[in-house]
Amino acid sequence: MTDQRGTQVNFSTDHFIVNPQPSALIVAMKQIDDKSLLWAEQLVEDLLRTLPHTPVSAFGLNFAFTDEALNSELISLFRLSDADRLAENNYRTTSLSIQRSLQLDDAKLNAMLTMTEDDSLSVRLNFHHDVANAEEAWTRLTGRTLLYKADGLNFLQNVYGLRVKGTL
C-alpha cells in the first residue's frame, strides 16, 4: 500500500512488519520465536475476521533457513548429469536450486533448496493453502503456525539430516 506520495506504508512492531501489497498482505517476522509467531497468527486472523468480504484465494506460511557448510550427502543432491559438460564448456554454476511441491495433509509444501558455489545452502519452505474466502483462510490458519514451524523443522531433519541451531 502506498500513501498519496507513492511511499510504501508498513506497520511495524518489535516482532513483525505488516507490509500491504496490491494483491497480498505480507507479515514478515523480525523474530521467529513461538510468541512472535502466535502474535502474527492472531493479527492475521483478526484482520481476516474484521474484513470478511476481502477476496482471499490463498495464504501461505513461509520459513527460510541457511546453512554455511553443506555435508557431502547434501552436496550430492545437487550433482546433475550435465555438470561436467557445463564445466568443459567454461560455464561455472554459481547457484543451483531444487524445487519440489509436496502434499502434506491439507496443505501443499513448496520446498526450494539452493546451493551456492561456496557450498552454502538456503532453504525456503512455503506451506500453501488455496481457499475460497477470508473465513476459510482464518479457519485453516488458526492454530497452524507453530505446527507448520514444527513440520518444517521435522522436514529438514528427517529428509535432509539438518538441525536448526538455537531455539526458534
Side-chain angles (χ1 to χ4, degrees), residues 97-133:
S97 296
I98 298 170
Q99 184 172 341
R100 290 195 168 101
S101 291
L102 309 162
Q103 193 64 43
L104 178 68
D105 299 323
D106 65 340
K108 183 189 293 184
L109 171 56
N110 296 306
M112 181 181 289
L113 289 78
T114 301
M115 183 180 78
T116 59
E117 63 187 326
D118 65 354
D119 292 337
S120 66
L121 175 73
S122 68
V123 178
R124 299 181 67 79
L125 303 177
N126 165 261
F127 293 89
H128 177 86
H129 285 272
D130 290 320
V131 294
N133 53 46

PDB file of all heavy atoms in Angstrom, residues 97-133:
ATOM      1  N   SER A  97      19.279 -24.712  -7.765  1.00  0.00           N
ATOM      2  CA  SER A  97      18.109 -24.879  -6.902  1.00  0.00           C
ATOM      3  C   SER A  97      17.357 -26.149  -7.244  1.00  0.00           C
ATOM      4  O   SER A  97      17.250 -26.532  -8.408  1.00  0.00           O
ATOM      5  CB  SER A  97      17.158 -23.693  -7.045  1.00  0.00           C
ATOM      6  OG  SER A  97      17.772 -22.510  -6.610  1.00  0.00           O
ATOM      7  N   ILE A  98      16.833 -26.757  -6.208  1.00  0.00           N
ATOM      8  CA  ILE A  98      15.924 -27.893  -6.337  1.00  0.00           C
ATOM      9  C   ILE A  98      14.608 -27.428  -5.745  1.00  0.00           C
ATOM     10  O   ILE A  98      14.559 -26.965  -4.606  1.00  0.00           O
ATOM     11  CB  ILE A  98      16.435 -29.125  -5.565  1.00  0.00           C
ATOM     12  CG1 ILE A  98      17.776 -29.585  -6.123  1.00  0.00           C
ATOM     13  CG2 ILE A  98      15.401 -30.241  -5.598  1.00  0.00           C
ATOM     14  CD1 ILE A  98      18.456 -30.636  -5.271  1.00  0.00           C
ATOM     15  N   GLN A  99      13.557 -27.534  -6.531  1.00  0.00           N
ATOM     16  CA  GLN A  99      12.243 -27.097  -6.062  1.00  0.00           C
ATOM     17  C   GLN A  99      11.275 -28.265  -6.135  1.00  0.00           C
ATOM     18  O   GLN A  99      11.212 -28.960  -7.154  1.00  0.00           O
ATOM     19  CB  GLN A  99      11.737 -25.943  -6.918  1.00  0.00           C
ATOM     20  CG  GLN A  99      10.434 -25.388  -6.432  1.00  0.00           C
ATOM     21  CD  GLN A  99      10.056 -24.114  -7.173  1.00  0.00           C
ATOM     22  OE1 GLN A  99      10.875 -23.462  -7.790  1.00  0.00           O
ATOM     23  NE2 GLN A  99       8.784 -23.779  -7.102  1.00  0.00           N
ATOM     24  N   ARG A 100      10.540 -28.451  -5.053  1.00  0.00           N
ATOM     25  CA  ARG A 100       9.556 -29.523  -5.004  1.00  0.00           C
ATOM     26  C   ARG A 100       8.246 -28.982  -4.446  1.00  0.00           C
ATOM     27  O   ARG A 100       8.246 -28.143  -3.553  1.00  0.00           O
ATOM     28  CB  ARG A 100      10.048 -30.653  -4.104  1.00  0.00           C
ATOM     29  CG  ARG A 100      11.200 -31.428  -4.676  1.00  0.00           C
ATOM     30  CD  ARG A 100      11.376 -32.729  -3.915  1.00  0.00           C
ATOM     31  NE  ARG A 100      12.287 -33.602  -4.605  1.00  0.00           N
ATOM     32  CZ  ARG A 100      13.559 -33.770  -4.265  1.00  0.00           C
ATOM     33  NH1 ARG A 100      14.064 -33.105  -3.250  1.00  0.00           N
ATOM     34  NH2 ARG A 100      14.320 -34.601  -4.937  1.00  0.00           N
ATOM     35  N   SER A 101       7.152 -29.498  -4.967  1.00  0.00           N
ATOM     36  CA  SER A 101       5.830 -29.259  -4.388  1.00  0.00           C
ATOM     37  C   SER A 101       5.353 -30.590  -3.845  1.00  0.00           C
ATOM     38  O   SER A 101       5.250 -31.567  -4.591  1.00  0.00           O
ATOM     39  CB  SER A 101       4.855 -28.728  -5.439  1.00  0.00           C
ATOM     40  OG  SER A 101       5.215 -27.427  -5.813  1.00  0.00           O
ATOM     41  N   LEU A 102       5.074 -30.615  -2.560  1.00  0.00           N
ATOM     42  CA  LEU A 102       4.729 -31.854  -1.862  1.00  0.00           C
ATOM     43  C   LEU A 102       3.374 -31.690  -1.180  1.00  0.00           C
ATOM     44  O   LEU A 102       3.054 -30.605  -0.694  1.00  0.00           O
ATOM     45  CB  LEU A 102       5.796 -32.168  -0.807  1.00  0.00           C
ATOM     46  CG  LEU A 102       7.244 -32.160  -1.294  1.00  0.00           C
ATOM     47  CD1 LEU A 102       8.204 -32.047  -0.128  1.00  0.00           C
ATOM     48  CD2 LEU A 102       7.517 -33.412  -2.105  1.00  0.00           C
ATOM     49  N   GLN A 103       2.597 -32.753  -1.130  1.00  0.00           N
ATOM     50  CA  GLN A 103       1.332 -32.710  -0.411  1.00  0.00           C
ATOM     51  C   GLN A 103       1.585 -33.096   1.035  1.00  0.00           C
ATOM     52  O   GLN A 103       2.246 -34.093   1.312  1.00  0.00           O
ATOM     53  CB  GLN A 103       0.316 -33.665  -1.051  1.00  0.00           C
ATOM     54  CG  GLN A 103      -1.095 -33.440  -0.569  1.00  0.00           C
ATOM     55  CD  GLN A 103      -1.626 -32.066  -0.946  1.00  0.00           C
ATOM     56  OE1 GLN A 103      -1.433 -31.588  -2.053  1.00  0.00           O
ATOM     57  NE2 GLN A 103      -2.295 -31.421  -0.007  1.00  0.00           N
ATOM     58  N   LEU A 104       1.100 -32.292   1.965  1.00  0.00           N
ATOM     59  CA  LEU A 104       1.236 -32.556   3.393  1.00  0.00           C
ATOM     60  C   LEU A 104      -0.121 -32.316   4.026  1.00  0.00           C
ATOM     61  O   LEU A 104      -0.540 -31.167   4.203  1.00  0.00           O
ATOM     62  CB  LEU A 104       2.292 -31.634   4.009  1.00  0.00           C
ATOM     63  CG  LEU A 104       2.496 -31.763   5.514  1.00  0.00           C
ATOM     64  CD1 LEU A 104       3.124 -33.118   5.845  1.00  0.00           C
ATOM     65  CD2 LEU A 104       3.377 -30.643   6.025  1.00  0.00           C
ATOM     66  N   ASP A 105      -0.815 -33.399   4.334  1.00  0.00           N
ATOM     67  CA  ASP A 105      -2.167 -33.301   4.862  1.00  0.00           C
ATOM     68  C   ASP A 105      -3.003 -32.433   3.912  1.00  0.00           C
ATOM     69  O   ASP A 105      -3.096 -32.735   2.746  1.00  0.00           O
ATOM     70  CB  ASP A 105      -2.177 -32.778   6.298  1.00  0.00           C
ATOM     71  CG  ASP A 105      -1.407 -33.703   7.244  1.00  0.00           C
ATOM     72  OD1 ASP A 105      -1.492 -34.930   7.057  1.00  0.00           O
ATOM     73  OD2 ASP A 105      -0.719 -33.201   8.143  1.00  0.00           O
ATOM     74  N   ASP A 106      -3.574 -31.327   4.405  1.00  0.00           N
ATOM     75  CA  ASP A 106      -4.409 -30.494   3.537  1.00  0.00           C
ATOM     76  C   ASP A 106      -3.663 -29.282   2.996  1.00  0.00           C
ATOM     77  O   ASP A 106      -4.260 -28.387   2.418  1.00  0.00           O
ATOM     78  CB  ASP A 106      -5.674 -30.063   4.258  1.00  0.00           C
ATOM     79  CG  ASP A 106      -5.400 -29.147   5.442  1.00  0.00           C
ATOM     80  OD1 ASP A 106      -4.255 -29.147   5.947  1.00  0.00           O
ATOM     81  OD2 ASP A 106      -6.312 -28.432   5.871  1.00  0.00           O
ATOM     82  N   ALA A 107      -2.342 -29.254   3.169  1.00  0.00           N
ATOM     83  CA  ALA A 107      -1.537 -28.139   2.666  1.00  0.00           C
ATOM     84  C   ALA A 107      -0.573 -28.640   1.602  1.00  0.00           C
ATOM     85  O   ALA A 107      -0.252 -29.824   1.543  1.00  0.00           O
ATOM     86  CB  ALA A 107      -0.740 -27.492   3.804  1.00  0.00           C
ATOM     87  N   LYS A 108      -0.128 -27.713   0.789  1.00  0.00           N
ATOM     88  CA  LYS A 108       0.944 -28.006  -0.151  1.00  0.00           C
ATOM     89  C   LYS A 108       2.216 -27.437   0.461  1.00  0.00           C
ATOM     90  O   LYS A 108       2.230 -26.300   0.926  1.00  0.00           O
ATOM     91  CB  LYS A 108       0.688 -27.344  -1.502  1.00  0.00           C
ATOM     92  CG  LYS A 108       1.766 -27.681  -2.540  1.00  0.00           C
ATOM     93  CD  LYS A 108       1.635 -26.865  -3.799  1.00  0.00           C
ATOM     94  CE  LYS A 108       0.372 -27.217  -4.548  1.00  0.00           C
ATOM     95  NZ  LYS A 108       0.283 -26.485  -5.831  1.00  0.00           N
ATOM     96  N   LEU A 109       3.263 -28.244   0.494  1.00  0.00           N
ATOM     97  CA  LEU A 109       4.562 -27.775   0.968  1.00  0.00           C
ATOM     98  C   LEU A 109       5.428 -27.539  -0.258  1.00  0.00           C
ATOM     99  O   LEU A 109       5.771 -28.476  -0.981  1.00  0.00           O
ATOM    100  CB  LEU A 109       5.220 -28.792   1.900  1.00  0.00           C
ATOM    101  CG  LEU A 109       6.679 -28.525   2.297  1.00  0.00           C
ATOM    102  CD1 LEU A 109       6.837 -27.144   2.929  1.00  0.00           C
ATOM    103  CD2 LEU A 109       7.198 -29.611   3.205  1.00  0.00           C
ATOM    104  N   ASN A 110       5.731 -26.271  -0.514  1.00  0.00           N
ATOM    105  CA  ASN A 110       6.645 -25.904  -1.588  1.00  0.00           C
ATOM    106  C   ASN A 110       8.015 -25.723  -0.945  1.00  0.00           C
ATOM    107  O   ASN A 110       8.181 -24.880  -0.067  1.00  0.00           O
ATOM    108  CB  ASN A 110       6.199 -24.617  -2.269  1.00  0.00           C
ATOM    109  CG  ASN A 110       4.855 -24.794  -2.942  1.00  0.00           C
ATOM    110  OD1 ASN A 110       4.667 -25.688  -3.747  1.00  0.00           O
ATOM    111  ND2 ASN A 110       3.902 -23.952  -2.584  1.00  0.00           N
ATOM    112  N   ALA A 111       8.966 -26.537  -1.360  1.00  0.00           N
ATOM    113  CA  ALA A 111      10.311 -26.507  -0.774  1.00  0.00           C
ATOM    114  C   ALA A 111      11.317 -26.159  -1.856  1.00  0.00           C
ATOM    115  O   ALA A 111      11.312 -26.769  -2.928  1.00  0.00           O
ATOM    116  CB  ALA A 111      10.653 -27.863  -0.159  1.00  0.00           C
ATOM    117  N   MET A 112      12.157 -25.167  -1.575  1.00  0.00           N
ATOM    118  CA  MET A 112      13.226 -24.816  -2.501  1.00  0.00           C
ATOM    119  C   MET A 112      14.547 -24.836  -1.748  1.00  0.00           C
ATOM    120  O   MET A 112      14.719 -24.143  -0.751  1.00  0.00           O
ATOM    121  CB  MET A 112      13.035 -23.449  -3.135  1.00  0.00           C
ATOM    122  CG  MET A 112      14.175 -23.128  -4.112  1.00  0.00           C
ATOM    123  SD  MET A 112      14.065 -21.521  -4.903  1.00  0.00           S
ATOM    124  CE  MET A 112      12.685 -21.799  -5.982  1.00  0.00           C
ATOM    125  N   LEU A 113      15.461 -25.661  -2.232  1.00  0.00           N
ATOM    126  CA  LEU A 113      16.804 -25.745  -1.681  1.00  0.00           C
ATOM    127  C   LEU A 113      17.745 -25.162  -2.717  1.00  0.00           C
ATOM    128  O   LEU A 113      17.710 -25.567  -3.881  1.00  0.00           O
ATOM    129  CB  LEU A 113      17.196 -27.197  -1.404  1.00  0.00           C
ATOM    130  CG  LEU A 113      16.494 -27.899  -0.238  1.00  0.00           C
ATOM    131  CD1 LEU A 113      15.116 -28.334  -0.633  1.00  0.00           C
ATOM    132  CD2 LEU A 113      17.309 -29.074   0.220  1.00  0.00           C
ATOM    133  N   THR A 114      18.576 -24.220  -2.312  1.00  0.00           N
ATOM    134  CA  THR A 114      19.510 -23.577  -3.223  1.00  0.00           C
ATOM    135  C   THR A 114      20.914 -23.696  -2.651  1.00  0.00           C
ATOM    136  O   THR A 114      21.161 -23.303  -1.507  1.00  0.00           O
ATOM    137  CB  THR A 114      19.161 -22.098  -3.439  1.00  0.00           C
ATOM    138  OG1 THR A 114      17.833 -22.019  -3.981  1.00  0.00           O
ATOM    139  CG2 THR A 114      20.139 -21.421  -4.397  1.00  0.00           C
ATOM    140  N   MET A 115      21.818 -24.246  -3.476  1.00  0.00           N
ATOM    141  CA  MET A 115      23.224 -24.349  -3.106  1.00  0.00           C
ATOM    142  C   MET A 115      24.000 -23.337  -3.934  1.00  0.00           C
ATOM    143  O   MET A 115      23.789 -23.210  -5.134  1.00  0.00           O
ATOM    144  CB  MET A 115      23.766 -25.752  -3.390  1.00  0.00           C
ATOM    145  CG  MET A 115      25.218 -25.931  -2.956  1.00  0.00           C
ATOM    146  SD  MET A 115      25.867 -27.584  -3.285  1.00  0.00           S
ATOM    147  CE  MET A 115      26.197 -27.474  -5.033  1.00  0.00           C
ATOM    148  N   THR A 116      24.896 -22.612  -3.280  1.00  0.00           N
ATOM    149  CA  THR A 116      25.747 -21.664  -3.986  1.00  0.00           C
ATOM    150  C   THR A 116      27.119 -22.285  -4.203  1.00  0.00           C
ATOM    151  O   THR A 116      27.434 -23.338  -3.649  1.00  0.00           O
ATOM    152  CB  THR A 116      25.880 -20.346  -3.203  1.00  0.00           C
ATOM    153  OG1 THR A 116      26.443 -20.629  -1.924  1.00  0.00           O
ATOM    154  CG2 THR A 116      24.524 -19.665  -3.038  1.00  0.00           C
ATOM    155  N   GLU A 117      27.945 -21.632  -5.005  1.00  0.00           N
ATOM    156  CA  GLU A 117      29.240 -22.197  -5.352  1.00  0.00           C
ATOM    157  C   GLU A 117      30.164 -22.374  -4.163  1.00  0.00           C
ATOM    158  O   GLU A 117      31.105 -23.155  -4.223  1.00  0.00           O
ATOM    159  CB  GLU A 117      29.912 -21.373  -6.446  1.00  0.00           C
ATOM    160  CG  GLU A 117      30.233 -19.950  -6.066  1.00  0.00           C
ATOM    161  CD  GLU A 117      30.750 -19.158  -7.263  1.00  0.00           C
ATOM    162  OE1 GLU A 117      31.435 -19.724  -8.127  1.00  0.00           O
ATOM    163  OE2 GLU A 117      30.441 -17.959  -7.324  1.00  0.00           O
ATOM    164  N   ASP A 118      29.904 -21.701  -3.061  1.00  0.00           N
ATOM    165  CA  ASP A 118      30.730 -21.899  -1.859  1.00  0.00           C
ATOM    166  C   ASP A 118      30.155 -22.999  -0.957  1.00  0.00           C
ATOM    167  O   ASP A 118      30.538 -23.124   0.200  1.00  0.00           O
ATOM    168  CB  ASP A 118      30.899 -20.595  -1.088  1.00  0.00           C
ATOM    169  CG  ASP A 118      29.585 -20.072  -0.513  1.00  0.00           C
ATOM    170  OD1 ASP A 118      28.516 -20.644  -0.801  1.00  0.00           O
ATOM    171  OD2 ASP A 118      29.633 -19.067   0.218  1.00  0.00           O
ATOM    172  N   ASP A 119      29.245 -23.809  -1.501  1.00  0.00           N
ATOM    173  CA  ASP A 119      28.619 -24.931  -0.809  1.00  0.00           C
ATOM    174  C   ASP A 119      27.776 -24.516   0.396  1.00  0.00           C
ATOM    175  O   ASP A 119      27.598 -25.275   1.337  1.00  0.00           O
ATOM    176  CB  ASP A 119      29.639 -25.992  -0.384  1.00  0.00           C
ATOM    177  CG  ASP A 119      30.249 -26.711  -1.572  1.00  0.00           C
ATOM    178  OD1 ASP A 119      29.618 -26.738  -2.645  1.00  0.00           O
ATOM    179  OD2 ASP A 119      31.367 -27.238  -1.433  1.00  0.00           O
ATOM    180  N   SER A 120      27.236 -23.304   0.368  1.00  0.00           N
ATOM    181  CA  SER A 120      26.262 -22.924   1.392  1.00  0.00           C
ATOM    182  C   SER A 120      24.867 -23.263   0.854  1.00  0.00           C
ATOM    183  O   SER A 120      24.666 -23.406  -0.350  1.00  0.00           O
ATOM    184  CB  SER A 120      26.381 -21.449   1.762  1.00  0.00           C
ATOM    185  OG  SER A 120      26.036 -20.638   0.674  1.00  0.00           O
ATOM    186  N   LEU A 121      23.939 -23.400   1.747  1.00  0.00           N
ATOM    187  CA  LEU A 121      22.593 -23.831   1.396  1.00  0.00           C
ATOM    188  C   LEU A 121      21.578 -22.853   1.958  1.00  0.00           C
ATOM    189  O   LEU A 121      21.694 -22.408   3.097  1.00  0.00           O
ATOM    190  CB  LEU A 121      22.312 -25.222   1.992  1.00  0.00           C
ATOM    191  CG  LEU A 121      20.904 -25.779   1.821  1.00  0.00           C
ATOM    192  CD1 LEU A 121      20.662 -26.213   0.390  1.00  0.00           C
ATOM    193  CD2 LEU A 121      20.669 -26.942   2.781  1.00  0.00           C
ATOM    194  N   SER A 122      20.586 -22.519   1.148  1.00  0.00           N
ATOM    195  CA  SER A 122      19.417 -21.811   1.664  1.00  0.00           C
ATOM    196  C   SER A 122      18.204 -22.680   1.383  1.00  0.00           C
ATOM    197  O   SER A 122      18.115 -23.330   0.336  1.00  0.00           O
ATOM    198  CB  SER A 122      19.273 -20.412   1.046  1.00  0.00           C
ATOM    199  OG  SER A 122      18.948 -20.516  -0.312  1.00  0.00           O
ATOM    200  N   VAL A 123      17.306 -22.703   2.338  1.00  0.00           N
ATOM    201  CA  VAL A 123      16.080 -23.494   2.225  1.00  0.00           C
ATOM    202  C   VAL A 123      14.914 -22.567   2.470  1.00  0.00           C
ATOM    203  O   VAL A 123      14.885 -21.828   3.452  1.00  0.00           O
ATOM    204  CB  VAL A 123      16.050 -24.642   3.260  1.00  0.00           C
ATOM    205  CG1 VAL A 123      14.753 -25.429   3.153  1.00  0.00           C
ATOM    206  CG2 VAL A 123      17.255 -25.550   3.116  1.00  0.00           C
ATOM    207  N   ARG A 124      13.964 -22.596   1.547  1.00  0.00           N
ATOM    208  CA  ARG A 124      12.741 -21.817   1.695  1.00  0.00           C
ATOM    209  C   ARG A 124      11.573 -22.802   1.676  1.00  0.00           C
ATOM    210  O   ARG A 124      11.441 -23.580   0.734  1.00  0.00           O
ATOM    211  CB  ARG A 124      12.616 -20.799   0.574  1.00  0.00           C
ATOM    212  CG  ARG A 124      13.781 -19.795   0.564  1.00  0.00           C
ATOM    213  CD  ARG A 124      13.670 -18.770  -0.527  1.00  0.00           C
ATOM    214  NE  ARG A 124      12.563 -17.868  -0.353  1.00  0.00           N
ATOM    215  CZ  ARG A 124      12.544 -16.817   0.486  1.00  0.00           C
ATOM    216  NH1 ARG A 124      13.582 -16.555   1.217  1.00  0.00           N
ATOM    217  NH2 ARG A 124      11.489 -16.043   0.564  1.00  0.00           N
ATOM    218  N   LEU A 125      10.762 -22.743   2.720  1.00  0.00           N
ATOM    219  CA  LEU A 125       9.599 -23.616   2.840  1.00  0.00           C
ATOM    220  C   LEU A 125       8.345 -22.761   2.841  1.00  0.00           C
ATOM    221  O   LEU A 125       8.261 -21.779   3.584  1.00  0.00           O
ATOM    222  CB  LEU A 125       9.668 -24.432   4.131  1.00  0.00           C
ATOM    223  CG  LEU A 125      10.905 -25.297   4.337  1.00  0.00           C
ATOM    224  CD1 LEU A 125      10.844 -25.974   5.704  1.00  0.00           C
ATOM    225  CD2 LEU A 125      11.054 -26.318   3.228  1.00  0.00           C
ATOM    226  N   ASN A 126       7.385 -23.131   2.021  1.00  0.00           N
ATOM    227  CA  ASN A 126       6.109 -22.429   1.943  1.00  0.00           C
ATOM    228  C   ASN A 126       5.000 -23.447   2.146  1.00  0.00           C
ATOM    229  O   ASN A 126       4.868 -24.384   1.362  1.00  0.00           O
ATOM    230  CB  ASN A 126       5.956 -21.742   0.577  1.00  0.00           C
ATOM    231  CG  ASN A 126       4.525 -21.314   0.305  1.00  0.00           C
ATOM    232  OD1 ASN A 126       3.790 -22.001  -0.399  1.00  0.00           O
ATOM    233  ND2 ASN A 126       4.126 -20.193   0.861  1.00  0.00           N
ATOM    234  N   PHE A 127       4.240 -23.277   3.226  1.00  0.00           N
ATOM    235  CA  PHE A 127       3.066 -24.111   3.483  1.00  0.00           C
ATOM    236  C   PHE A 127       1.881 -23.350   2.902  1.00  0.00           C
ATOM    237  O   PHE A 127       1.478 -22.307   3.417  1.00  0.00           O
ATOM    238  CB  PHE A 127       2.895 -24.344   4.984  1.00  0.00           C
ATOM    239  CG  PHE A 127       4.007 -25.177   5.571  1.00  0.00           C
ATOM    240  CD1 PHE A 127       5.161 -24.577   6.058  1.00  0.00           C
ATOM    241  CD2 PHE A 127       3.911 -26.553   5.602  1.00  0.00           C
ATOM    242  CE1 PHE A 127       6.189 -25.332   6.591  1.00  0.00           C
ATOM    243  CE2 PHE A 127       4.933 -27.327   6.130  1.00  0.00           C
ATOM    244  CZ  PHE A 127       6.077 -26.710   6.628  1.00  0.00           C
ATOM    245  N   HIS A 128       1.329 -23.859   1.804  1.00  0.00           N
ATOM    246  CA  HIS A 128       0.372 -23.122   0.986  1.00  0.00           C
ATOM    247  C   HIS A 128      -1.018 -23.759   1.071  1.00  0.00           C
ATOM    248  O   HIS A 128      -1.157 -24.981   1.053  1.00  0.00           O
ATOM    249  CB  HIS A 128       0.845 -23.138  -0.472  1.00  0.00           C
ATOM    250  CG  HIS A 128      -0.099 -22.466  -1.405  1.00  0.00           C
ATOM    251  ND1 HIS A 128      -0.073 -21.116  -1.646  1.00  0.00           N
ATOM    252  CD2 HIS A 128      -1.118 -22.968  -2.165  1.00  0.00           C
ATOM    253  CE1 HIS A 128      -1.018 -20.811  -2.507  1.00  0.00           C
ATOM    254  NE2 HIS A 128      -1.669 -21.916  -2.829  1.00  0.00           N
ATOM    255  N   HIS A 129      -2.022 -22.887   1.123  1.00  0.00           N
ATOM    256  CA  HIS A 129      -3.424 -23.314   1.077  1.00  0.00           C
ATOM    257  C   HIS A 129      -4.166 -22.490   0.043  1.00  0.00           C
ATOM    258  O   HIS A 129      -4.109 -21.258   0.070  1.00  0.00           O
ATOM    259  CB  HIS A 129      -4.128 -23.078   2.429  1.00  0.00           C
ATOM    260  CG  HIS A 129      -3.767 -24.028   3.492  1.00  0.00           C
ATOM    261  ND1 HIS A 129      -4.408 -25.223   3.680  1.00  0.00           N
ATOM    262  CD2 HIS A 129      -2.804 -23.971   4.442  1.00  0.00           C
ATOM    263  CE1 HIS A 129      -3.881 -25.858   4.710  1.00  0.00           C
ATOM    264  NE2 HIS A 129      -2.901 -25.109   5.190  1.00  0.00           N
ATOM    265  N   ASP A 130      -4.882 -23.132  -0.843  1.00  0.00           N
ATOM    266  CA  ASP A 130      -5.860 -22.451  -1.689  1.00  0.00           C
ATOM    267  C   ASP A 130      -7.157 -22.398  -0.885  1.00  0.00           C
ATOM    268  O   ASP A 130      -7.553 -23.392  -0.267  1.00  0.00           O
ATOM    269  CB  ASP A 130      -6.088 -23.213  -2.996  1.00  0.00           C
ATOM    270  CG  ASP A 130      -4.893 -23.142  -3.924  1.00  0.00           C
ATOM    271  OD1 ASP A 130      -4.287 -22.061  -4.020  1.00  0.00           O
ATOM    272  OD2 ASP A 130      -4.554 -24.171  -4.537  1.00  0.00           O
ATOM    273  N   VAL A 131      -7.798 -21.249  -0.848  1.00  0.00           N
ATOM    274  CA  VAL A 131      -9.038 -21.081  -0.091  1.00  0.00           C
ATOM    275  C   VAL A 131     -10.049 -20.319  -0.935  1.00  0.00           C
ATOM    276  O   VAL A 131      -9.694 -19.662  -1.908  1.00  0.00           O
ATOM    277  CB  VAL A 131      -8.804 -20.343   1.252  1.00  0.00           C
ATOM    278  CG1 VAL A 131      -7.953 -21.179   2.205  1.00  0.00           C
ATOM    279  CG2 VAL A 131      -8.184 -18.974   1.034  1.00  0.00           C
ATOM    280  N   ALA A 132     -11.304 -20.397  -0.522  1.00  0.00           N
ATOM    281  CA  ALA A 132     -12.375 -19.732  -1.268  1.00  0.00           C
ATOM    282  C   ALA A 132     -12.661 -18.322  -0.771  1.00  0.00           C
ATOM    283  O   ALA A 132     -13.163 -17.492  -1.523  1.00  0.00           O
ATOM    284  CB  ALA A 132     -13.652 -20.574  -1.195  1.00  0.00           C
ATOM    285  N   ASN A 133     -12.354 -18.047   0.512  1.00  0.00           N
ATOM    286  CA  ASN A 133     -12.705 -16.746   1.077  1.00  0.00           C
ATOM    287  C   ASN A 133     -11.927 -16.502   2.371  1.00  0.00           C
ATOM    288  O   ASN A 133     -11.180 -17.370   2.832  1.00  0.00           O
ATOM    289  CB  ASN A 133     -14.217 -16.655   1.317  1.00  0.00           C
ATOM    290  CG  ASN A 133     -14.726 -17.816   2.152  1.00  0.00           C
ATOM    291  OD1 ASN A 133     -14.137 -18.177   3.169  1.00  0.00           O
ATOM    292  ND2 ASN A 133     -15.828 -18.422   1.715  1.00  0.00           N
TER     293      ASN A 133
END
